[in-house]
Amino acid sequence: MKKLLLAFFGLIFFSLSAQEKTGFQLSSHILDISEGKPAGKVEIALEKFNETTQQWVSVGKKQTDNNGRVSDFLPYQKTGNNGKYKLVFFVEDYYKHKNIESFYPSIEVIFQIKDSEHYHVPITLSPFGYSTYRGS
């Protein structure tokens, strides 16, 4: 009986670990550090670098939610999403709406995906500066 239970749980563990990842591999968010609040309703474009043509190709555009987040940028794929990517944060309209002058009309962040892990690429933002990092 013990061997049967051990084989059963081993089979379940193996089948769960072998399953394809689902959901999205890339997320982002914007925190407006001048206000200490998330930046909602900011358009973000995702582009992928085509190594053959040496050009950026649009993958899609999203808008941050009220919490400043986009969590559904890049679906996991069987063949993988490895490559160079660029997120373009269009912040000009965000600050215009607040009647605040900003130095940056847009911010581009280029990064690489090299595996099947989740990538979170946020920015902290102010009218005259920004910072980015690989989050979790």
Side-chain angles (χ1 to χ4, degrees):
M1 183 67 172
K2 287 182 185 179
K3 286 183 181 180
L4 183 60
L5 283 174
L6 185 59
F8 175 73
F9 286 115
L11 181 61
I12 289 176
F13 175 77
F14 177 74
S15 66
L16 289 175
S17 64
Q19 286 181 352
E20 179 183 338
K21 288 188 177 186
T22 59
F24 296 89
Q25 189 173 8
L26 178 63
S27 60
S28 183
H29 79 267
I30 304 171
L31 177 63
D32 184 340
I33 60 174
S34 64
E35 293 187 353
K37 295 180 181 178
K41 298 182 181 174
V42 176
E43 187 175 45
I44 305 174
L46 176 64
E47 299 177 4
K48 184 174 185 180
F49 189 70
N50 183 313
E51 296 289 343
T52 305
T53 64
Q54 299 289 297
Q55 302 217 0
W56 291 101
V57 178
S58 176
V59 175
K61 287 185 179 180
K62 303 278 183 174
Q63 189 177 67
T64 58
D65 62 17
N66 289 335
N67 290 319
R69 297 185 177 273
V70 173
S71 57
D72 58 350
F73 248 128
L74 195 59
Y76 280 104
Q77 303 205 8
K78 288 182 183 179
T79 58
N81 289 317
N82 292 1
K84 295 177 187 171
Y85 289 87
K86 173 170 48 174
L87 285 171
V88 183
F89 300 84
F90 296 98
V91 297
E92 183 174 39
D93 286 342
Y94 169 77
Y95 279 116
K96 277 185 179 177
H97 180 71
K98 294 178 169 291
N99 293 318
I100 297 173
E101 185 180 335
S102 174
F103 184 66
Y104 301 101
S106 64
I107 297 165
E108 296 183 358
V109 179
I110 298 172
F111 58 96
Q112 290 186 82
I113 292 180
K114 295 183 175 184
D115 52 36
S116 64
E117 297 299 313
H118 179 79
Y119 285 72
H120 184 66
V121 183
I123 63 171
T124 55
L125 177 66
S126 75
F128 295 94
Y130 68 92
S131 180
T132 186
Y133 57 95
R134 176 164 181 204
S136 58

